[in-house]
C-alpha cells in the first residue's frame, strides 16, 4: 500500500519532533493550547482589514494543521474519520432543504 500525503506528513512531523526531543512537551493539553494560540495568529492576518499576506497566512494555517495532526496522534484518533463523522452530525443539524443559503445557527431558525 502506498503512503498518502497525510502519512508522509505525519511521519515528517514525528521525525522532526523526535530529533528535537519535543514530544515531552506535547501533551494533549499543550497541543490544544497551541492550536488556539496559532488560530489566534491566523486570525491576526485579517486583524485590520480583509487584505492578507498570503505567505504569512499559509504559515499560520500550517501551524494550526501541524498541531492538530499532533493532537490527533497523541489521543489516537483518525482525523479523516472524525471529520466525516462530524460532517454527518452537521448534515443532520442543517438539512439542506431548510438551511440552503442561510447562515443562521440551527437552534435559532
Amino acid at each position: 500500500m502506498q503512503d498518502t500525503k497525510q502519512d508522509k506528513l505525519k511521519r515528517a512531523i514525528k521525525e522532526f519532533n523526535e530529533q528535537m526531543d519535543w514530544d515531552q512537551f506535547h501533551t494533549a493539553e499543550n497541543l490544544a493550547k497551541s492550536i488556539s494560540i496559532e488560530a489566534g495568529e491566523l486570525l491576526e492576518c485579517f486583524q485590520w482589514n480583509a487584505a492578507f499576506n498570503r505567505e504569512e497566512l499559509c504559515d499560520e494555517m500550517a501551524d494550526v494543521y501541524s498541531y492538530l495532526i499532533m493532537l490527533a496522534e497523541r489521543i489516537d484518533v483518525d482525523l479523516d474519520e472524525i471529520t466525516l463523522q462530524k460532517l454527518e452530525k452537521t448534515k443532520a443539524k442543517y438539512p439542506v432543504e431548510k438551511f440552503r443559503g442561510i447562515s443562521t445557527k440551527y437552534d435559532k431558525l
Side-chain angles (χ1 to χ4, degrees):
M1 188 167 143
Q2 190 175 5
D3 278 353
T4 65
K5 284 183 182 179
Q6 183 82 352
D7 292 332
K8 291 175 184 175
L9 180 57
K10 286 179 188 178
R11 193 169 43 255
I13 291 170
K14 182 177 173 36
E15 288 172 3
F16 178 73
N17 286 328
E18 286 173 355
Q19 290 171 351
M20 300 302 293
D21 193 26
W22 284 351
D23 278 335
Q24 62 181 316
F25 308 116
H26 293 160
T27 63
E29 178 185 5
N30 286 347
L31 292 167
K33 289 175 186 177
S34 296
I35 291 166
S36 183
I37 291 164
E38 295 299 338
E41 291 178 11
L42 177 66
L43 186 56
E44 198 172 35
C45 293
F46 301 98
Q47 185 170 9
W48 303 114
N49 58 52
F52 60 89
N53 177 298
R54 184 176 174 83
E55 183 177 354
E56 289 175 9
L57 182 63
C58 289
D59 284 349
E60 298 308 334
M61 290 170 62
D63 287 342
V64 170
Y65 191 48
S66 295
Y67 281 121
L68 188 58
I69 289 169
M70 287 187 276
L71 179 58
E73 290 291 305
R74 174 64 62 186
I75 66 168
D76 194 29
V77 297
D78 182 311
L79 277 174
D80 294 335
E81 183 179 313
I82 64 172
T83 302
L84 288 171
Q85 289 171 356
K86 177 60 178 178
L87 180 58
E88 290 305 312
K89 290 178 185 178
T90 302
K91 286 179 181 180
K93 281 185 189 176
Y94 295 95
V96 69
E97 60 276 359
K98 188 174 179 181
F99 287 92
R100 181 173 165 76
I102 298 171
S103 64
T104 305
K105 189 174 178 185
Y106 71 95
D107 63 349
K108 301 292 184 201
L109 189 63

